[in-house]
Amino acid sequence: MLQAATIQDGGDERDTSRYTRLLAWNVSDPSSRPPLIGEWVVPLPLSDKDNTQQCSEIHFVKPGIFFALSRDGDGHGGDDNNTKYKQADLFSIVGATDIHGTKYDDPANPIASDGKLKSGITPATYVSFVDFVEENGLARFGLHNDDPADQTLIDAKWESLTLAPCFDSQFPDDFFLFTAVRNALLRHSYTRLIFSQADNDFLTKDGESLGESYDADINVDSQFLVFRVTLPGAGPYNS
């Protein structure tokens, strides 16, 4: 999935780039060029100023259902210490219009104009799910949002999602969801954990790149968050 809309679909402006595209290829035959077999429109969340919260990562949950890590660029190492949106959301392409092989494959025929989706296209259903910056949740991890800009400020750039089974017989639909300021994914069962990580974008006062030392004038640690979530029906794809 693209992080936001293509240029022809409004991707050159934050307030018109909501409608992005999810594409699927059949890669079962390594001897031939994978054919495009599906293409759907996904409506990304908007800020209170109607700017698009771009998607850094998606992760398969079950057929037709995916996680989307959508976020702003604020937090530790970003432009503003106060982040408004970092979430692991869910979207479904069940019932959405498959536009592959249609006129919308031609850049001359955008799927959206001025941030408005063309009529006749049914987009994916997108719903809010796990909020990374909820105040009480952050406090449980020893983190915070907004000032001061210290090492416990939530990082700006979260880039990854993965799932791991909880292996809890009483809650078979539970998983661990991992997210990070960088990525990691695991598998199996029904209550699961979400794992997510934030990378530090090489922001350090004592760095080295290509054999040369550098000072980025800030130290931003990598961060990981883990959530326990219930995802009925998500188990079989890990078996």
Side-chain angles (χ1 to χ4, degrees), residues 156-237:
K157 295 186 177 181
W158 291 79
E159 303 287 354
S160 62
L161 289 173
T162 193
L163 287 172
C166 293
F167 294 116
D168 186 335
S169 60
Q170 293 186 344
F171 300 95
D173 290 328
D174 281 8
F175 294 77
F176 294 116
L177 172 63
F178 295 76
T179 185
V181 186
R182 205 135 233 170
N183 204 348
L185 279 133
L186 305 165
R187 332 188 172 198
H188 197 34
S189 195
Y190 283 148
T191 288
R192 309 231 168 173
L193 297 184
I194 291 183
F195 293 72
S196 186
Q197 176 199 4
D199 65 35
N200 66 4
D201 239 15
F202 307 105
L203 296 179
T204 176
K205 294 181 179 180
D206 185 22
E208 183 173 321
S209 177
L210 301 176
E212 298 291 332
S213 298
Y214 70 90
D215 180 354
D217 203 35
I218 187 174
N219 286 321
V220 177
D221 293 336
S222 292
Q223 295 176 349
F224 288 80
L225 297 177
V226 183
F227 301 88
R228 183 164 176 160
V229 296
T230 301
L231 299 168
Y237 81 96

Side-chain angles (χ1 to χ4, degrees), residues 9 19-20 41-43 97 99 104 110-124:
D9 297 333
Y19 292 103
T20 190
V41 178
V42 180
T97 304
I99 62 171
Y104 299 112
I111 61 172
S113 178
D114 295 324
K116 305 297 183 183
L117 187 64
K118 297 288 187 178
S119 62
I121 300 176
T122 301

Side-chain angles (χ1 to χ4, degrees), residues 25 29-30 36 39 58 71 83 133 170 177 205:
W25 285 268
D29 183 0
L36 180 69
E39 185 177 358
I58 65 171
R71 62 173 177 83
T83 180
V133 296
Q170 293 186 344
L177 172 63
K205 294 181 179 180

Side-chain angles (χ1 to χ4, degrees), residues 8-173:
Q8 73 264 23
D9 297 333
D12 52 347
E13 298 290 343
R14 291 183 62 194
D15 61 354
T16 61
S17 59
R18 181 184 191 189
Y19 292 103
T20 190
R21 302 185 186 214
L22 173 72
L23 301 101
W25 285 268
N26 184 343
V27 296
S28 60
D29 183 0
S31 66
S32 63
R33 182 174 180 175
L36 180 69
I37 59 171
E39 185 177 358
W40 303 269
V41 178
V42 180
L44 296 174
L46 299 174
S47 73
D48 54 8
K49 296 181 179 179
D50 288 334
N51 289 326
T52 302
Q53 309 287 16
Q54 296 189 4
C55 182
S56 293
E57 170 81 312
I58 65 171
H59 183 54
F60 177 83
V61 176
K62 64 180 183 179
I65 309 294
F66 301 83
F67 271 117
L69 198 174
S70 296
R71 62 173 177 83
D72 58 24
D74 297 324
H76 201 200
D79 294 332
D80 191 321
N81 293 332
N82 186 14
T83 180
K84 301 292 182 61
Y85 201 99
K86 298 190 194 307
Q87 296 197 178
D89 296 327
L90 291 166
F91 70 90
S92 169
I93 59 172
V94 176
T97 304
D98 182 353
I99 62 171
H100 93 281
T102 70
K103 66 180 183 179
Y104 299 112
D105 287 341
D106 184 339
N109 297 299
I111 61 172
S113 178
D114 295 324
K116 305 297 183 183
L117 187 64
K118 297 288 187 178
S119 62
I121 300 176
T122 301
T125 301
Y126 190 105
V127 296
S128 174
F129 191 47
V130 179
D131 185 355
F132 296 1
V133 296
E134 188 273 322
E135 183 177 0
N136 292 329
L138 281 179
R140 293 179 62 190
F141 290 109
L143 299 174
H144 69 91
N145 188 20
D146 211 349
D147 298 331
D150 57 19
Q151 296 307 108
T152 62
L153 174 63
I154 188 168
D155 283 350
K157 295 186 177 181
W158 291 79
E159 303 287 354
S160 62
L161 289 173
T162 193
L163 287 172
C166 293
F167 294 116
D168 186 335
S169 60
Q170 293 186 344
F171 300 95
D173 290 328

